[in-house]
Amino acid sequence: MAAELWALRLRVARVLAYPLWRCAAAAEEVRADIAWWIECIDAPKLTALEEYSRFAYLAAALPEFRTLVHYRLRGRSPVLRILLRACYRPLPTLTLEADRIGPALFIQHGVGTIVTAESIGSHCWINQQVTVGHDAKGRPTLGDRVRVGAGAVVLGPITLHDGATVGANATVIHDVPAGATMVAPLATALTARPGVDGDRPSGRAPA
């Protein structure tokens, strides 16, 4: 029964996604996006599909993928873009702004994510609740195969060089060398203080 429902949903997605596919399929970046998303998701059912079925599934099931497709279509006519955005709604909590986004960008979840960069290289991975943004001096540049973990903040005219990783909840305001990993401090327990938890005063007057 589950397999039949999956097949039915995929058939419906293939029908509904076709106009978007016709507009986006000519872009080599979109084809690279499809392949990279399937690789990152790493689900055997999706891996077994041919390219258009993969696109149909991603466009139907993942609004963050639709947001990326709309970015890829930014050179098309405004009227067409408005119509496509009305029919294939992007994720409202995801912002993508960059002069260039290279082929194969994977956005995992995309909830509460703002990306405002000079440029983003190829085969990058950005998680949810990420801020890649500008300060008074400029915006970040991300190289190829850069990964930014959940809750991370990357600010200013800095460069995350090829293969750099920013761990969850880390804040980065300086360049990150190629292949380096930046992590936030681990949470540590506070020393017990008088009047807190186990040392809470009883409220009784001293004898």
Side-chain angles (χ1 to χ4, degrees):
M1 186 63 180
E4 293 175 357
L5 183 59
W6 157 260
L8 175 61
R9 288 176 174 173
L10 184 59
R11 286 196 296 271
V12 172
R14 284 176 55 86
V15 172
L16 296 179
Y18 189 71
L20 186 61
W21 170 254
R22 289 288 295 174
C23 294
E28 289 299 320
E29 293 91 346
V30 172
R31 294 180 179 273
D33 291 332
I34 296 167
W36 183 232
W37 281 61
I38 296 302
E39 181 178 337
C40 292
I41 294 172
D42 192 25
K45 278 187 176 181
L46 300 181
T47 303
L49 298 176
E50 42 76 32
E51 185 179 50
Y52 174 60
S53 292
R54 290 176 171 185
F55 176 87
Y57 171 83
L58 294 172
L62 302 175
E64 53 268 53
F65 179 78
R66 297 196 296 269
T67 302
L68 179 58
V69 172
H70 287 304
Y71 174 87
R72 302 297 188 197
L73 294 173
R74 66 196 185 284
R76 305 298 290 269
S77 75
V79 173
L80 175 61
R81 293 180 63 196
I82 290 171
L83 290 173
L84 289 175
R85 289 178 72 90
C87 295
Y88 305 97
R89 294 188 178 277
L91 183 65
T93 60
L94 170 62
T95 298
L96 285 180
E97 295 178 0
D99 292 343
R100 175 185 175 274
I101 296 179
L105 171 63
F106 178 59
I107 304 162
Q108 189 170 42
H109 307 309
V111 177
T113 295
I114 299 175
V115 177
T116 303
E118 285 296 318
S119 67
I120 298 174
S122 67
H123 295 87
C124 292
W125 179 321
I126 296 175
N127 272 85
Q128 70 273 24
Q129 296 180 328
V130 163
T131 298
V132 176
H134 58 78
D135 62 12
K137 296 181 179 179
R139 303 182 296 176
T141 297
L142 279 61
D144 296 337
R145 296 192 175 275
V146 168
R147 181 162 181 173
V148 184
V153 177
V154 180
L155 295 177
I158 64 174
T159 299
L160 307 185
H161 290 275
D162 295 352
T165 298
V166 178
N169 297 316
T171 297
V172 179
I173 57 173
H174 300 292
D175 288 358
V176 178
T181 299
M182 309 298 290
V183 297
L186 292 175
T188 57
L190 293 175
T191 303
R193 294 172 295 174
V196 177
D197 298 329
D199 295 324
R200 189 183 305 278
S202 66
R204 294 177 298 201

